[in-house]
């Protein structure tokens, strides 16, 4: 045994150093002892769960809220990685909910993977858009006049063609140019992706509105609200399909065989 005050022998010094390093390592942020951490706990918990705490000291958690609380276990990011929501592609648009009146159509998508551990949440799973069908479910033509003129983006015409337009009707139609009057602010407050075309409606701009089957009346071969019987400089009324507050007036300029306006100003009657 070394006398009091004497320097410790080499074996004793090494033993003391090992104890000191072990104590220092236990206090390191992010260090884990055997049996500690999320891997040892064996689960990752949603939300804030006080029961989702790993063993050991200092106490650490493996729940979704631990990041904000700054009390995650050192291996949380590795064991419980953030998984974002994954959704399928949009379905095709449905038929109008009600024929022979201004109605709406729906498209949907479903969740392929639920979000976990704070991953990005799921986006909306359903969208609606205004529409009009001129035939009943029994195939009978709707007998009604529609005022004001109902309009929507020209892209809807392309979707309508995909749904079985008769071959002989593909080239039937005409274009009407209008000069827009004052536009209500509600037209620019839309958020749905399918309604963004309304944001481009601007007072004084010229728009081209295509009249095509099946929006045409079978007797007159014209679209309701196209202003064909209006006098010169007469202001007519239009309404955006699917957004009753987006409506205004316009002046009929001319009728053409084909529409030549930019895409954002190319619309169709419905």
């Amino acid at each position: 045994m070394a006398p009091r005050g004497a320097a410790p022998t080499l074996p004793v010094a090494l033993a003391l150093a090992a104890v000191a390093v072990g104590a220092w390592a236990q206090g390191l942020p992010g260090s884990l002892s055997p049996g500690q951490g999320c891997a040892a706990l064996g689960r990752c918990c949603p939300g804030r769960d006080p029961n989702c705490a790993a063993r050991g000291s200092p106490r650490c958690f493996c729940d979704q809220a631990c990041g904000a609380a700054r009390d995650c276990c050192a291996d949380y990011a590795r064991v419980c990685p953030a998984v974002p929501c994954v959704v399928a592609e949009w379905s095709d648009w449905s038929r109008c909910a009600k024929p022979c009146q201004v109605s709406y159509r729906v498209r949907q998508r479903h969740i392929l993977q639920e979000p976990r551990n704070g991953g990005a949440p799921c986006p909306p799973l359903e969208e609606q858009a205004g529409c009009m069908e001129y035939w009943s479910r029994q195939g009978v033509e709707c007998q009604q006049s529609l005022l004001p003129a109902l309009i929507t983006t020209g892209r809807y015409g392309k979707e309508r063609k995909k749904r079985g337009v008769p071959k002989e009707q593909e080239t039937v139609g005409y274009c009407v140019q209008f000069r827009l009057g004052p536009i209500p602010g509600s037209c620019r407050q839309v958020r749905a992706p399918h309604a963004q075309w309304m944001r481009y409606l601007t007072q004084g701009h010229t728009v081209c509105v295509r009249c095509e089957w099946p929006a045409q009346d079978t007797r007159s071969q014209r679209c309701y609200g196209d202003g064909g019987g209006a006098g010169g400089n007469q202001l007519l009324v239009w309404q955006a399909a699917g957004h009753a507050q987006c409506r205004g007036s316009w002046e009929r300029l001319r009728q053409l065989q084909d529409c030549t306006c930019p895409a954002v100003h190319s619309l169709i009657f419905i």
Side-chain angles (χ1 to χ4, degrees):
M1 182 174 181
R4 186 182 299 272
T9 61
L10 183 58
V12 174
L14 291 176
L16 292 175
V19 171
V21 169
W24 175 75
Q26 288 180 2
L28 275 178
S31 61
L32 291 172
S33 299
Q36 290 184 317
C38 301
L41 182 64
R43 58 194 176 100
C44 305
C45 310
R48 186 55 169 169
D49 187 347
N51 296 318
C52 197
R55 298 173 55 190
S57 178
R59 199 178 190 202
C60 62
F61 290 83
C62 303
D63 59 9
Q64 183 179 329
C66 71
R70 302 175 68 87
D71 57 6
C72 296
C73 293
D75 62 349
Y76 176 78
R78 175 177 60 82
V79 178
C80 307
V83 178
C85 177
V86 178
V87 296
E89 295 295 324
W90 286 110
S91 67
D92 293 333
W93 286 103
S94 69
R95 296 189 62 178
C96 291
K98 297 180 180 180
C100 300
Q101 60 181 287
V102 180
S103 185
Y104 65 92
R105 54 197 175 119
V106 177
R107 65 176 183 174
Q108 298 174 324
R109 55 187 174 184
H110 61 274
I111 297 174
L112 298 176
Q113 176 178 272
E114 294 280 359
R116 300 195 305 272
N117 307 327
C122 295
L125 301 178
E126 181 176 295
E127 283 187 346
Q128 295 183 359
C131 64
M132 175 72 192
E133 287 186 359
Y134 291 82
W135 300 83
S136 70
R137 295 287 186 261
Q138 293 72 38
V140 179
E141 184 178 8
C142 307
Q143 301 296 318
Q144 68 178 79
S145 294
L146 293 175
L147 290 174
L150 292 168
I151 58 173
T152 189
T153 173
R155 291 194 301 273
Y156 178 55
K158 297 178 182 179
E159 295 174 9
R160 189 158 56 184
K161 288 179 181 179
K162 295 177 182 178
R163 293 173 49 191
V165 174
K167 203 71 175 175
E168 64 274 12
Q169 300 289 351
E170 287 184 353
T171 58
V172 175
Y174 58 90
C175 181
V176 184
Q177 287 186 341
F178 297 91
R179 181 182 293 113
L180 291 168
I183 306 298
S186 57
C187 296
R188 294 181 174 82
Q189 295 172 357
V190 294
R191 295 184 179 180
H194 65 268
Q196 292 303 302
W197 65 272
M198 302 179 197
R199 302 171 66 92
Y200 296 98
L201 298 174
T202 304
Q203 181 176 356
H205 282 196
T206 297
V207 294
C208 297
V209 190
R210 179 81 181 166
C211 174
E212 58 188 21
W213 190 94
Q216 295 173 351
D217 177 78
T218 55
R219 296 179 298 275
S220 66
Q221 296 296 304
R222 305 198 67 85
C223 287
Y224 296 117
D226 72 350
N233 299 322
Q234 180 178 346
L235 289 180
L236 306 169
V237 181
W238 59 267
Q239 177 183 320
H243 189 359
Q245 288 72 41
C246 183
R247 57 189 300 161
S249 61
W250 56 15
E251 178 188 353
R252 192 180 198 269
L253 300 178
R254 64 186 65 85
Q255 179 176 321
L256 304 170
Q257 182 60 39
D258 299 306
C259 291
T260 57
C261 294
V264 293
H265 293 148
S266 296
L267 310 171
I268 63 168
F269 293 101
I270 66 169

